Amino acid sequence: MADVQPAETEPEKQPRSVRVVLLALMITMMLAMLDNMIVGTAMPTIVGELGGLEHLSWVVTAYTLATAASTPIWGKIGDMYGRKGAFMSSIVIFLIGSMLSGMAQNMGELIGFRAVQGLGAGGLMVGVMAIIGDLIPPRERGKYQGMMAGVMALAMIGGPLVGGTITDNWGWRWSFYINLPLGIVSLGLISAVLHLPRKRSQARIDYLGAVLLTVGITSVVLVTTWGGTEYAWTSARIMELIGIGVAALIGFVFWQTRAAEPIVPLHIFRSRNFTLMSLIGFIAGFVMFGATLFLPLYQQSVQGASATNSGLLLLPMLGAMLVTSMVAGRVTTNTGKYKVFPVAGSALMVVGLYLLSTMDTGTSRFTSGVFMAVVGLGMGCLMQITMLVAQNSVEMKDMGVASSSTTLFRTLGSSFGVAIMGALFNHRVQDVMAERAGALGSKLTEQSAQLDAASLAKLPEAAREAYQHAVSAGTHSAFLLGAVVAVGALVASVFVKEVPLKGAGPQKPGEDASEAGAETAAEAEAGAGAGAKAAATPVA
């Protein structure tokens, strides 16, 4: 582990310095997760000042595209040239994009600056995960899962509230400017405390691979963003994007077998665990972002909850996720066992999503809260364990691409989840509205199946009841689909092989800690070093 400051060289300093670095990493992680939620709340005010309503979706799409496309590239740059420099560069680009976005004078400028911000954001989460992978052995990493889950829960709950407060009191531009002081604090701490050896790779960046991957990911994200909304799924534009995306991704895979320093080395997928964790991460992203989109909509439209507290509506799910993640992390650290968590988490996710699909217009908030908590318990078992096992499945030199690939699969999963569950939801809502409210129902939902609180309040009583039944039917279909997809994660988790976690953890009598952490997970899975390891240390 060349990038880690050895614990034995500074036994009294490392724990404190690691805690300070972790604080900086958590601040950066908060930046990455809060941004879209704060900006989403400010969007109506932004459109009111800048105009350009027809381009509104591009404010989010430009950021998402740039983030997804740059994620694997940041991971590879960190592996080749050093984690610290790559991470700090991504923060600087993110802050520049944030500052420029706050200064935007029209919608075109805002969209362009959001793309710059997204380029930096692609390196934030990858950098956090890869640096944690460098500093903390997998066996000990579980201790810090609660921190990461806590940041995630805080961002999801607090994002809309913070966004609303900032917009109402300081103006929408501070939705972007708020990133600057937090980012500067994070940069200062990382610069002063994080010490990783510099790398200097003789190989050049795989530019052709980067272009092919960017085109492929951009096409996939645009298909999932535009399909069924801007364009019909069978339209020529969507078919063109699908063709371009498939061709680019096939070309990318072909080129990666020949590139001197591939962006995504295909050999990491020879590890069964890494491939399975990528699949489980994709499904977790698919389900989670679909759930966070439709649950507040259901509670506002059907249960009459306030839209201003939309983040608090997810508290049962996020609270359960936080608690379970902390427990999973502690158990993994103390025992070194982790397979039970993907299996249990996937099973709970299937059950919870099925329960959510049974909600109707008569379901109480308490009952829906219990159902959400079941999903949250499942998510808590999966969200950090997938990254931990993926990182444990590769060598240290591939830590960055392993982190970025896992993050990318989760991001793509969220794009597919929002698109497919959204299309199913919209179709079902429009059908039920046509059945229950006739021509009026069709007219109400022809533009969008999601009515805001003001529009809902103006509806006649009969139309409002019809819409509540329609939303209930739409969420039923969306969550039922989620439950079916989550079965895939359950099947994949059964095949996970419990490879011993590298690094620290309670040391057994007679076990050589250095030898216990020296063997890579890839070798362990292939059995290459099994004989030598068995001779040197007792097998648990």
Side-chain angles (χ1 to χ4, degrees), residues 48-345:
E49 181 173 328
L50 298 183
L53 178 62
E54 67 276 14
H55 304 303
L56 174 63
S57 63
W58 273 103
V59 176
V60 175
T61 302
Y63 179 89
T64 305
L65 280 175
T67 301
S70 63
T71 291
I73 299 171
W74 280 116
K76 187 61 182 179
I77 290 174
D79 283 341
M80 291 176 66
Y81 300 111
R83 212 85 68 205
K84 180 177 178 178
F87 185 50
M88 293 181 69
S89 298
S90 70
I91 296 176
V92 170
I93 293 173
F94 180 81
L95 295 182
I96 291 173
S98 298
M99 181 180 67
L100 292 174
S101 295
M103 298 167 64
Q105 298 301 308
N106 56 60
M107 191 61 78
E109 288 183 3
L110 179 60
I111 291 169
F113 296 149
R114 283 284 282 168
V116 174
Q117 195 183 15
L119 287 175
L124 297 186
M125 194 67 74
V126 172
V128 169
M129 296 302 179
I131 290 173
I132 288 176
D134 272 355
L135 292 178
I136 302 167
R139 184 68 181 269
E140 295 296 306
R141 216 169 291 156
K143 292 179 181 178
Y144 303 97
Q145 285 183 9
M147 294 173 61
M148 290 183 276
V151 168
M152 186 180 298
L154 185 62
M156 289 186 172
I157 295 171
L161 298 176
V162 172
T165 302
I166 289 175
T167 304
D168 292 341
N169 294 285
W170 298 348
W172 66 266
R173 296 182 187 277
W174 276 96
S175 296
F176 299 103
Y177 293 152
I178 194 67
N179 293 329
L180 300 179
L182 292 174
I184 289 170
V185 169
S186 178
L187 273 176
L189 291 174
I190 290 168
S191 177
V193 181
L194 179 61
H195 302 293
L196 298 174
R198 293 184 179 180
K199 299 179 182 179
R200 182 62 60 186
S201 175
Q202 298 301 316
R204 298 179 62 188
I205 294 175
D206 177 16
Y207 293 106
L208 177 58
V211 170
L212 289 171
L213 183 61
T214 300
V215 171
I217 291 174
T218 299
S219 300
V220 169
V221 174
L222 285 178
V223 166
T224 57
T225 303
W226 285 349
T229 52
E230 298 285 328
Y231 303 96
W233 286 103
T234 55
S235 66
R237 178 60 56 84
I238 296 298
M239 292 296 107
E240 289 169 3
L241 286 171
I242 292 174
I244 292 171
V246 170
L249 292 177
I250 291 174
F252 171 76
V253 172
F254 175 78
W255 176 248
Q256 293 306 280
T257 63
R258 287 159 172 74
E261 195 66 47
I263 293 287
V264 180
L266 299 184
H267 67 79
I268 62 177
F269 291 98
R270 293 175 189 161
S271 165
R272 183 209 304 181
N273 276 6
F274 181 84
T275 303
L276 291 173
M277 288 301 130
S278 298
L279 175 60
I280 293 171
F282 178 92
I283 293 172
F286 186 106
V287 168
M288 182 174 181
F289 285 88
T292 54
L293 175 65
F294 295 111
L295 279 170
L297 178 63
Y298 169 83
Q299 291 189 303
Q300 292 169 34
S301 301
V302 180
Q303 295 181 327
S306 168
T308 56
N309 295 324
S310 57
L312 297 176
L313 300 175
L314 299 174
L315 192 57
M317 183 175 75
L318 299 174
M321 185 177 74
L322 173 59
V323 171
T324 314
S325 183
M326 293 176 69
V327 171
R330 284 291 174 182
V331 171
T332 301
T333 296
N334 293 334
T335 67
K337 305 294 184 183
Y338 54 80
K339 180 174 179 177
V340 64
F341 295 112
V343 174

